[in-house]
Amino acid sequence: MRNKSMPDYRMSFTTGGLFLTESVEVARLHRDGEAWEDTAKRALDQGATTLPKAASNRRSLREITNRLRMLTEEERHFLLEFADRNDQQALLWLATCRAYRFVREFAVEVIRERYLSYQMDLPLSSFDIALDAKAEWDEGLARLSTSTRNKLRQVLFRIMREAEILSQENRIQATILSTRLQTLIQNNNTAELAYFPGISLMEGNT
């Protein structure tokens, strides 16, 4: 039975990857107080993404803005003005975890647990095992088609590689966060440090 106090599993990350370059461009276009839907429209009009088809651009921009809206104003400012590439990748991984319950649970329940037990390889089957377990009590996940499941797995592993959570060989990598970014995350929610393998939750309390 579904726990009504928990958010639904939104599984719309079926396109692209981390969208690092595009996300920075869209974040820079965003105006304070503006609806993210309006930001996406202006980004589409100005050609902020590099995808060739307008339909693909719309899908990608919707996905980008769905993630960017998860960042606080302070985090977005850091993304644009102070973050190096490593911190930008980490912030966009954080935004993805916040946007998708399945991704953040996978980060904690699978990636972190494997890292802590020194199982650094992350087989593709780990996605299927996690999804099957949750589908036993979530009708929405149970109804996903095989093709959609395969696409979700493909995109999630691409996101993790581009965020450098995984190596190109799908091995879990320790995350290195700048002191400033780690403080930003800690000030918002220390528990979110668990999304990053190799980052001790105790570091958020020092």
Side-chain angles (χ1 to χ4, degrees), residues 29-40 42:
L29 283 173
H30 184 66
R31 298 166 180 165
D32 290 343
E34 179 181 51
W36 280 101
E37 291 77 11
D38 293 336
T39 304
R42 288 194 298 107

Side-chain angles (χ1 to χ4, degrees), residues 24 28 75-84 88 180:
V24 172
R28 202 173 299 280
E75 289 166 344
R76 290 196 303 271
H77 180 68
F78 180 78
L79 174 74
L80 295 175
E81 302 300 333
F82 301 106
D84 60 13
Q88 287 177 337
R180 184 164 182 179

Side-chain angles (χ1 to χ4, degrees), residues 74 77-78 82 87 177-185:
E74 187 176 10
H77 180 68
F78 180 78
F82 301 106
D87 277 354
L177 303 177
S178 69
T179 300
R180 184 164 182 179
L181 176 55
Q182 190 161 315
T183 300
L184 280 176
I185 297 172

Side-chain angles (χ1 to χ4, degrees):
M1 183 178 296
R2 179 190 297 274
N3 185 341
K4 297 298 184 180
S5 66
M6 296 294 289
D8 290 336
Y9 286 105
R10 294 176 54 251
M11 303 292 280
S12 61
F13 52 96
T14 56
T15 185
L18 190 65
F19 291 118
L20 175 59
T21 301
E22 297 89 345
S23 294
V24 172
E25 292 179 6
V26 173
R28 202 173 299 280
L29 283 173
H30 184 66
R31 298 166 180 165
D32 290 343
E34 179 181 51
W36 280 101
E37 291 77 11
D38 293 336
T39 304
K41 183 179 184 304
R42 288 194 298 107
L44 183 63
D45 292 341
Q46 296 180 36
T49 67
T50 58
L51 297 177
K53 296 180 180 180
S56 295
N57 275 322
R58 290 190 185 94
R59 287 196 297 272
S60 298
L61 284 166
R62 183 166 57 247
E63 181 60 30
I64 290 166
T65 54
N66 281 343
R67 299 179 196 177
L68 286 175
R69 74 174 76 235
M70 296 294 107
L71 298 178
T72 66
E73 182 177 344
E74 187 176 10
E75 289 166 344
R76 290 196 303 271
H77 180 68
F78 180 78
L79 174 74
L80 295 175
E81 302 300 333
F82 301 106
D84 60 13
R85 182 179 177 84
N86 183 71
D87 277 354
Q88 287 177 337
Q89 291 169 324
L91 273 168
L92 294 176
W93 171 245
L94 175 65
T96 304
C97 288
R98 288 177 180 171
Y100 294 106
R101 177 185 170 188
F102 180 85
V103 175
R104 62 179 174 266
E105 290 179 354
F106 189 81
V108 175
E109 297 169 5
V110 180
I111 299 174
R112 182 174 180 81
E113 286 305 309
R114 290 184 73 86
Y115 183 88
L116 291 176
S117 59
Y118 301 101
Q119 300 178 65
M120 299 307 178
D121 62 305
L122 189 70
L124 296 178
S125 60
S126 62
F127 174 92
D128 302 307
I129 293 169
L131 187 59
D132 287 342
K134 297 178 187 301
E136 290 184 2
W137 49 268
D138 187 278
E139 294 180 2
L141 295 180
R143 287 195 300 267
L144 291 174
S145 68
T146 299
S147 61
T148 297
R149 288 167 59 108
N150 291 341
K151 185 64 175 177
L152 288 165
R153 182 181 61 220
Q154 176 188 8
V155 170
L156 180 55
F157 270 74
R158 178 178 175 182
I159 290 171
M160 292 188 293
R161 286 191 294 268
E162 292 180 357
E164 298 189 1
I165 298 297
L166 297 182
S167 70
Q168 293 304 308
E169 294 75 33
N170 292 341
R171 291 186 62 82
I172 301 169
Q173 303 186 128
T175 305
I176 299 175
L177 303 177
S178 69
T179 300
R180 184 164 182 179
L181 176 55
Q182 190 161 315
T183 300
L184 280 176
I185 297 172
Q186 173 192 351
N187 289 344
N188 184 72
N189 182 357
T190 300
E192 291 183 325
L193 292 173
Y195 305 156
F196 302 93
I199 301 295
S200 170
L201 297 185
M202 293 300 296
E203 293 178 36
N205 297 319
T206 58

